[in-house]
Amino acid sequence: MTAVGIPGPPLPRTGSTREHVERALGPKIAKRLDTFEDGTYFISAGSWARLLSWFVDIVVYLVLVAVGLVALVVASPDASGETIGLTVLGLLVVVPPLYGVFFGNGRVLAAMLTGTRLVRLKDGSRIGLTAWWAMLVRTILFPLLIAVVALGSAVGVAGSLRRISIDEDATRQLQRLGVPTGLHTA
């Protein structure tokens, strides 16, 4: 993959870049200016956009599980309670990776609705073949994370981010200003 941004070393992380972005795109967008680990710039997605994106993904996930359950009941109306219970458990684990298969470019229904894209924090590249894992984390493990963070902070467990949601339109505007960004094609 090649970067769409202007080649060369990234602009210095001084007030000048932030001021340039603020003049061109406004103070709200300039506040969300950040850099990937490789030094290229991006505009992070706003808190509401990230929350709405996650919420839509959860709703789609639950709807797909419900569709699977209805399909089982229609196909086998005399299925036992145990069979239905095991199927629901299976669907809860299998649906996120299947949904994630369509997520390799970082955009599913939720991202399209919110104008965001999930990218690698390292360099802004698309998540590609690990998208199934990202969706599993988003729909199953992330809700569990809320409880784990509360417990983890009490015992001092820390983690690190590997992916981040960016504001795709604002990052493209940043790119048009001549600021090197981590947006990738393909």
Side-chain angles (χ1 to χ4, degrees), residues 122-133:
K122 179 175 81 172
D123 61 0
S125 61
R126 298 182 186 212
I127 56 177
L129 296 176
T130 61
W132 68 271
W133 173 249

Side-chain angles (χ1 to χ4, degrees), residues 53-137:
S53 180
W54 172 78
F55 180 74
V56 170
D57 279 339
I58 292 293
V59 168
V60 169
Y61 163 59
L62 294 175
V63 166
L64 291 174
V65 168
V67 166
L69 182 59
V70 168
L72 171 71
V73 171
V74 168
S76 294
D78 58 341
S80 70
E82 293 169 352
T83 302
I84 291 174
L86 288 173
T87 301
V88 168
L89 287 176
L91 286 170
L92 289 172
V93 175
V94 171
V95 167
L98 290 176
Y99 184 43
V101 167
F102 301 100
F103 194 46
N105 70 354
R107 303 212 56 196
V108 286
L109 180 61
M112 289 186 280
L113 290 173
T114 59
T116 62
R117 178 182 302 273
L118 192 65
V119 297
R120 294 180 193 280
L121 188 57
K122 179 175 81 172
D123 61 0
S125 61
R126 298 182 186 212
I127 56 177
L129 296 176
T130 61
W132 68 271
W133 173 249
M135 189 55 71
L136 187 69
V137 168

Side-chain angles (χ1 to χ4, degrees), residues 15-82:
S16 63
T17 302
R18 188 170 302 279
E19 290 167 7
H20 178 63
V21 171
E22 188 170 339
R23 281 191 306 273
L25 303 177
K28 284 185 178 182
I29 291 178
K31 283 182 187 178
R32 296 186 284 136
L33 178 68
D34 207 344
T35 58
F36 291 115
E37 292 171 2
D38 68 358
T40 56
Y41 290 88
F42 70 95
I43 305 295
S44 64
S47 299
W48 288 109
R50 287 186 306 227
L51 183 63
L52 179 60
S53 180
W54 172 78
F55 180 74
V56 170
D57 279 339
I58 292 293
V59 168
V60 169
Y61 163 59
L62 294 175
V63 166
L64 291 174
V65 168
V67 166
L69 182 59
V70 168
L72 171 71
V73 171
V74 168
S76 294
D78 58 341
S80 70
E82 293 169 352

Side-chain angles (χ1 to χ4, degrees), residues 49 96 179:
V179 177

Side-chain angles (χ1 to χ4, degrees), residues 149-159:
V149 165
L151 293 173
S153 63
V155 295
V157 174

Side-chain angles (χ1 to χ4, degrees), residues 2-5 36 41 123-124 166 168 171-172 175 181-185:
T2 59
V4 177
F36 291 115
Y41 290 88
D123 61 0
I166 64 168
E168 190 170 31
T171 302
R172 289 204 188 284
Q175 203 171 47
T181 67
L183 283 183
H184 291 66
T185 59

